[in-house]
Amino acid sequence: MSDDTKAILRAFIVENFLFGDESQPLTADTSLIDNDYVDSTGILELVSYLEERFGIKVADTDIIPANLDSLARITAFVERKQAG
């Protein structure tokens, strides 16, 4: 599931935060916050998408860079939530 989840999330990030610009470097470990791809409003948009698309509940305490700052971290977070 990891590759499928990662591909779905990457497509969402490229479309919604990079406005379809595939030329931006977006590796699994690229920091979305440090590279200014996502701001606080974007994080809320991402959380809403995760809840709707993956059927998970994101608690306020889950909204931290350790869970949402890169494609790899978001993928791992979603999979932990789905497993739990």
Side-chain angles (χ1 to χ4, degrees), residues 6-56:
K6 190 182 297 183
I8 291 166
L9 290 167
R10 186 180 195 292
F12 174 80
I13 291 166
V14 168
E15 184 64 31
N16 291 277
F17 303 126
L18 303 179
F19 307 102
D21 184 359
E22 293 276 350
S23 70
Q24 297 289 335
L26 184 61
T27 67
D29 296 319
T30 299
S31 171
L32 302 177
I33 297 168
D34 290 345
N35 288 295
D36 294 324
Y37 294 155
V38 180
D39 59 12
S40 58
T41 303
I43 292 293
L44 296 177
E45 183 179 344
L46 174 62
V47 167
S48 177
Y49 174 77
L50 295 177
E51 290 181 331
E52 183 179 317
R53 174 63 177 83
F54 295 101
I56 61 174

Side-chain angles (χ1 to χ4, degrees), residues 7-9 11 43 60 64 77 81 84:
I8 291 166
L9 290 167
I43 292 293
D60 289 345
I64 57 173
F77 173 71
K81 285 295 210 175

